[in-house]
Amino acid sequence: MLVYNRFYGNDTGIVTKYVVFFYFRSIFVFMAVTIKDIARHSGVSVSTVSRVLNKKPDVNTETELRVNKAIKKLGYSPSSVARGLVLKRSNVLGFVVPDITNPNFPELARGVVEKARQYGYSVIFFDTNHDNKVEKEAINLLRSKQVDGIIVSFSEANQVELGKLKEEKFPAVQIYRKSPNSVISTIAIDNVDSAYKAVKYLLSLGHKQIGHLTTGISTLSGAERLEGYQKAYKESGLVYRDEWIFSGSHCADTGYDGMKIFLDQKEPVTAVFASHDLMAVGAYEAVFEKGLTIPGDISIMGHDNIEISRLVHPKLTTIDTYKDKLGQAGVELLLEEMAERSRINREIIFKTELVVRDSTRQIS
Amino acid sequence: MLVYNRFYGNDTGIVTKYVVFFYFRSIFVFMAVTIKDIARHSGVSVSTVSRVLNKKPDVNTETELRVNKAIKKLGYSPSSVARGLVLKRSNVLGFVVPDITNPNFPELARGVVEKARQYGYSVIFFDTNHDNKVEKEAINLLRSKQVDGIIVSFSEANQVELGKLKEEKFPAVQIYRKSPNSVISTIAIDNVDSAYKAVKYLLSLGHKQIGHLTTGISTLSGAERLEGYQKAYKESGLVYRDEWIFSGSHCADTGYDGMKIFLDQKEPVTAVFASHDLMAVGAYEAVFEKGLTIPGDISIMGHDNIEISRLVHPKLTTIDTYKDKLGQAGVELLLEEMAERSRINREIIFKTELVVRDSTRQIS
DNA sequence: CTATTTTATTCAAATTTATTAAGAATTTTT
DNA sequence: AAAAATTCTTAATAAATTTGAATAAAATAG
């Protein structure tokens, strides 16, 4: 065995090391075993082997045994590609998300992949990085790969594309983010009710001035959660002020920015409901910077119950959205669509659940 | 348009709502357009169309135009499946991780998927949930799907399987976690050096009693980081005590447990280096519980620079491992392997980088 | 100006690996 | 010997690529 190491630096400043091993072993060129080989080896025809493989009738028990022995011996595994060509299905699903590094999506992805596996499907995964062009590209690629169905989490921009799929009865479901005009079947959560529940909880703790860090009306979920906030206020008979609402984005920094503004107001809010946990955690920083405490001086609530929420100090009160269940339900709905191939759209809305932790408190 | 809503509860206590839309539109059954249709439509043979598609020579400019027009008109896109059958490649890569909800993997995944896309490859994704059986299953599935190569992050258990792939010259690389006996090519980080750097930094701040929260020698990276810790101590001339080392796991709670033990010792450590950020953040909780401050009373350092590390308060000093770059490099190495098809193993080791934040301080 | 060679296009047929329907061969039953 | 039941084989099919042959046009030679 010959070994050599090479160290070198590259323009990123990362130094990499090469360790190369040369193996001198029996030379063995991999040749794929086909159904023909099995047929020849077991002295039957390919169609008989096919019947054995697919557990169809009209096969002698003895023949079956012989064929299975050959399959095992030669380590044969049918080519999904050839099978897909004939049967026009691939047993592969497509899954397209805007950003896997957004903490909501890994759990969703796990739910999807796990459930798909249970049903015998593999999953081709795309991360579009919020790029509409890539979204479109992904759809085309997945179709040319002949996936049996797709699960997407698209922005408004490409809903038209999804509508086209529906026209063709190509199985597709939108997950996590709602399909704005319900052009395809959807799995989502009841954002209005969820935010309503959150704000109602804060009101029940005695808070009357509740700020809201929203992602703005640019995202549907943001708009819905804002609606829930408003609904809770309306029902309580109290009124909120416009300056208690701050529009941020999907990242934590905007929570910090918003909270800073809230704290600088003459009559600061006593509680804040953030549209997602990351903003809530960002808000923490602004509170600490002012030398204030949570929940002593101000109560903070998030939404989504991502992992971070139970790791920060104090642990964040939030709303669980059952992301893995959403992913699983997405696959199940997709499989239904694949079976039916109708143009009916279903919309399955999950209720969410309040998770009370340490970032909120009762005030007199 | 007919709409009906259905509400129902299920055993998980989640209430879901059904909104079903019935569309009555022109009935349109999707029929795939094939190369034959293009040939017929443009009055040439399929082989000519194929030559146009693959930009091969020996095609009249005028013919090419005619064919391309037909392609556009009929909205034709070649079947990757049929193409895969003939060419024996699918333009699909496999990517298998133990746990996508582990905060290190999403970034890795993004790097892999993004780079693969740039090179025209799609990625079939598996999450094994640390199940060795599922790992094996994934390999078999990916092979029957005729992926062109795979990127895995396997535990020691299935290294034998990977070795078999190598025997067959099936392109495969191990990423993030090192391949223990280098049975296949690897992209990893220099864990020893990385931990060495971390502890050396703490020593440079004046800390002489540094605790280490390790994942134990059960994981290779844990063992290597422990080695780095020991190396730094050895070099400094100081000695560490065995009770300053606590073995935990991949989850945050064990950081809390370990830190509690550290703090209860008669002569507590003044700094702690955790093998990964989650443990470090878990340790925070134990410190706060005692009414102590970070870094006032104790400095804490993590490893991996996951998103959480800059969201906690104080922001965690840690080590960046360039996870997205690792993912990208994984794809590039895999593509090299695919081109060469040799039995040579490469090992590319990335250096890591110290990220100083607010959880560590100089002591006199 | 015809005959031959060269060049540029284009086509028909084989190939890839599996499934499946139709029909042939064999065995069993009537 | 005919009919029925069982089991297997042949050939078509899926949608592309590829090879060697065919055709047509252009160039060269006699």
Side-chain angles (χ1 to χ4, degrees):
Chain A
M1 189 156 66
L2 195 156
V3 181
Y4 78 89
N5 296 358
R6 183 146 52 97
F7 290 84
Y8 71 91
N10 56 23
D11 55 308
T12 63
I14 299 165
V15 177
T16 71
K17 168 184 143 195
Y18 268 85
V19 185
V20 181
F21 297 86
F22 291 88
Y23 281 91
F24 297 99
R25 295 259 208 108
S26 63
I27 278 146
F28 170 79
V29 177
F30 180 70
M31 260 307 285
V33 181
T34 73
I35 197 170
K36 262 189 191 167
D37 300 316
I38 303 300
R40 202 177 311 127
H41 207 267
S42 49
V44 296
S45 69
V46 288
S47 59
T48 303
V49 179
S50 174
R51 252 177 290 115
V52 172
L53 285 172
N54 298 293
K55 300 201 191 345
K56 297 230 167 152
D58 301 341
V59 179
N60 190 305
T61 326
E62 198 192 298
T63 314
E64 191 182 339
L65 258 158
R66 201 145 34 92
V67 170
N68 278 325
K69 208 184 269 176
I71 288 173
K72 208 165 188 181
K73 189 175 173 193
L74 302 188
Y76 169 71
S77 153
S79 155
S80 298
V81 177
R83 188 175 269 175
L85 185 61
V86 176
L87 300 180
K88 291 172 174 320
R89 55 184 179 75
S90 55
N91 280 314
V92 177
L93 306 178
F95 181 45
V96 188
V97 302
D99 178 11
I100 188 69
T101 65
N102 172 321
N104 289 297
F105 286 111
E107 279 182 70
L108 206 64
R110 149 148 320 182
V112 167
V113 172
E114 169 67 12
K115 187 56 86 178
R117 200 179 59 79
Q118 281 172 22
Y119 283 104
Y121 287 87
S122 301
V123 176
I124 291 185
F125 170 73
F126 277 95
D127 179 334
T128 67
N129 200 10
H130 291 282
D131 188 332
N132 291 335
K133 251 192 241 149
V134 180
E135 279 184 0
K136 253 190 189 172
E137 230 181 276
I139 293 290
N140 291 333
L141 253 167
L142 288 169
R143 298 211 52 179
S144 89
K145 293 257 184 285
Q146 274 178 25
V147 297
D148 300 333
I150 59 175
I151 300 179
V152 300
S153 187
F154 274 14
S155 61
E156 264 105 306
N158 276 319
Q159 294 297 319
V160 187
E161 292 295 315
L162 298 179
K164 281 187 207 157
L165 291 183
K166 196 75 197 180
E167 290 276 304
E168 296 176 14
K169 295 194 182 175
F170 184 84
V173 314
Q174 168 97 358
I175 193 172
Y176 191 68
R177 297 201 270 184
K178 219 178 266 180
S179 175
N181 303 308
S182 285
V183 292
I184 64 169
S185 289
T186 307
I187 303 273
I189 55 167
D190 192 339
N191 279 305
V192 177
D193 179 70
S194 197
Y196 166 78
K197 213 151 40 184
V199 176
K200 219 176 138 185
Y201 174 68
L202 290 173
L203 288 166
S204 80
L205 292 180
H207 295 279
K208 293 188 170 55
Q209 288 148 279
I210 302 168
H212 180 41
L213 297 165
T214 171
T215 54
I217 50 166
S218 64
T219 68
L220 189 59
S221 63
E224 288 179 340
R225 289 176 195 174
L226 175 58
E227 194 185 325
Y229 168 88
Q230 293 165 327
K231 188 180 161 194
Y233 253 104
K234 193 164 187 186
E235 202 190 78
S236 71
L238 300 167
V239 283
Y240 65 90
R241 294 204 213 134
D242 285 345
E243 65 256 39
W244 295 348
I245 293 172
F246 177 86
S247 275
S249 74
H250 64 280
C251 66
D253 310 344
T254 59
Y256 171 83
D257 298 338
M259 184 54 109
K260 243 170 105 170
I261 290 172
F262 287 163
L263 293 175
D264 283 342
Q265 287 166 359
K266 56 253 149 236
E267 206 183 315
V269 294
T270 61
V272 169
F273 166 56
S275 200
H276 57 79
D277 289 345
L278 242 36
M279 272 183 132
V281 172
Y284 272 37
E285 196 61 29
V287 174
F288 296 145
E289 212 174 81
K290 278 261 172 190
L292 301 173
T293 64
I294 305 167
D297 298 299
I298 191 158
S299 287
I300 294 186
M301 234 189 118
H303 193 287
D304 294 348
N305 193 26
I306 62 177
E307 188 182 28
I308 296 174
S309 65
R310 60 174 185 78
L311 292 174
V312 290
H313 185 88
K315 296 192 177 96
L316 184 66
T317 295
T318 187
I319 302 261
D320 194 10
T321 54
Y322 302 102
K323 292 165 284 290
D324 55 338
K325 291 239 167 54
L326 243 56
Q328 290 172 21
V331 171
E332 268 160 1
L333 181 56
L334 183 61
L335 293 177
E336 276 178 44
E337 297 250 312
M338 280 158 51
E340 292 174 8
R341 296 201 157 259
S342 74
R343 224 176 270 110
I344 296 173
N345 276 331
R346 252 166 298 222
E347 195 173 74
I348 300 185
I349 307 297
F350 277 70
K351 291 281 175 187
T352 59
E353 198 174 276
L354 183 66
V355 179
V356 177
R357 295 211 184 91
D358 311 332
S359 67
T360 46
R361 74 168 183 109
Q362 179 93 41
I363 62 170
S364 50
Chain B
M1 190 157 64
L2 197 155
V3 180
Y4 79 89
N5 297 358
R6 184 146 50 99
F7 290 82
Y8 70 91
N10 57 23
D11 57 305
T12 63
I14 299 166
V15 177
T16 73
K17 168 184 143 195
Y18 266 87
V19 184
V20 182
F21 297 86
F22 290 89
Y23 281 90
F24 297 100
R25 296 260 208 108
S26 63
I27 277 144
F28 171 80
V29 177
F30 180 71
M31 259 309 284
V33 182
T34 74
I35 198 171
K36 265 190 190 165
D37 300 315
I38 303 299
R40 204 176 310 127
H41 207 267
S42 49
V44 297
S45 69
V46 289
S47 54
T48 304
V49 178
S50 174
R51 252 176 292 118
V52 171
L53 285 172
N54 298 293
K55 299 199 196 338
K56 298 227 168 156
D58 300 340
V59 179
N60 190 306
T61 327
E62 199 191 299
T63 314
E64 190 182 340
L65 258 158
R66 202 145 35 93
V67 170
N68 278 324
K69 209 184 271 176
I71 288 173
K72 209 165 185 182
K73 188 175 172 194
L74 302 188
Y76 168 72
S77 153
S79 155
S80 298
V81 176
R83 189 174 267 174
L85 184 61
V86 176
L87 299 180
K88 291 168 177 319
R89 56 186 177 74
S90 54
N91 280 315
V92 177
L93 306 179
F95 181 43
V96 189
V97 302
D99 179 10
I100 188 67
T101 65
N102 172 321
N104 289 297
F105 286 111
E107 278 183 70
L108 207 64
R110 149 145 324 180
V112 167
V113 171
E114 170 67 12
K115 188 56 87 181
R117 200 179 60 78
Q118 280 172 22
Y119 283 104
Y121 287 87
S122 301
V123 176
I124 291 184
F125 170 73
F126 277 94
D127 179 334
T128 67
N129 200 10
H130 291 283
D131 187 331
N132 291 336
K133 252 191 238 149
V134 180
E135 279 185 357
K136 255 191 188 170
E137 229 181 277
I139 293 290
N140 290 334
L141 253 168
L142 288 169
R143 298 211 53 178
S144 89
K145 292 259 184 283
Q146 276 178 21
V147 297
D148 300 333
I150 58 175
I151 300 179
V152 300
S153 187
F154 275 13
S155 61
E156 264 105 308
N158 275 319
Q159 294 296 320
V160 186
E161 292 295 316
L162 298 179
K164 281 186 206 158
L165 291 183
K166 196 75 196 179
E167 290 276 306
E168 296 176 13
K169 295 195 182 176
F170 184 84
V173 315
Q174 167 99 357
I175 193 172
Y176 191 69
R177 297 201 269 184
K178 220 178 266 180
S179 175
N181 303 310
S182 283
V183 291
I184 64 169
S185 288
T186 306
I187 303 272
I189 55 167
D190 192 338
N191 279 306
V192 177
D193 179 71
S194 197
Y196 166 79
K197 213 150 43 182
V199 175
K200 218 177 141 186
Y201 173 67
L202 291 172
L203 289 166
S204 80
L205 292 179
H207 296 279
K208 293 188 169 56
Q209 289 149 279
I210 302 169
H212 180 40
L213 296 165
T214 172
T215 54
I217 48 166
S218 63
T219 68
L220 189 59
S221 62
E224 288 179 340
R225 290 176 195 174
L226 175 58
E227 194 185 325
Y229 168 89
Q230 293 165 327
K231 187 180 160 195
Y233 252 105
K234 193 165 190 183
E235 203 190 79
S236 71
L238 299 167
V239 284
Y240 66 88
R241 295 206 212 134
D242 284 344
E243 65 257 38
W244 296 347
I245 293 172
F246 177 86
S247 275
S249 74
H250 65 279
C251 66
D253 310 345
T254 58
Y256 170 82
D257 297 338
M259 184 54 109
K260 244 171 103 169
I261 290 172
F262 287 163
L263 292 175
D264 283 342
Q265 286 164 1
K266 56 253 149 235
E267 205 183 316
V269 293
T270 62
V272 168
F273 165 55
S275 200
H276 57 80
D277 290 344
L278 243 35
M279 272 181 131
V281 171
Y284 272 37
E285 196 61 30
V287 175
F288 297 145
E289 213 174 80
K290 279 260 173 193
L292 301 173
T293 64
I294 305 167
D297 299 299
I298 191 158
S299 288
I300 294 186
M301 235 189 117
H303 193 287
D304 292 349
N305 193 25
I306 61 176
E307 188 181 28
I308 297 174
S309 65
R310 60 175 185 77
L311 293 174
V312 291
H313 186 86
K315 297 193 177 94
L316 184 66
T317 295
T318 186
I319 301 260
D320 193 11
T321 53
Y322 301 100
K323 292 166 283 292
D324 55 339
K325 290 239 169 51
L326 243 57
Q328 291 173 20
V331 171
E332 268 160 1
L333 181 56
L334 183 61
L335 292 177
E336 276 179 44
E337 297 249 311
M338 279 157 51
E340 291 174 8
R341 296 202 156 260
S342 73
R343 223 174 272 110
I344 296 173
N345 276 332
R346 254 167 298 223
E347 196 172 74
I348 300 186
I349 307 296
F350 276 69
K351 293 281 176 185
T352 59
E353 197 174 277
L354 184 66
V355 179
V356 177
R357 295 211 185 92
D358 311 332
S359 67
T360 45
R361 74 168 182 109
Q362 180 91 40
I363 61 170
S364 50

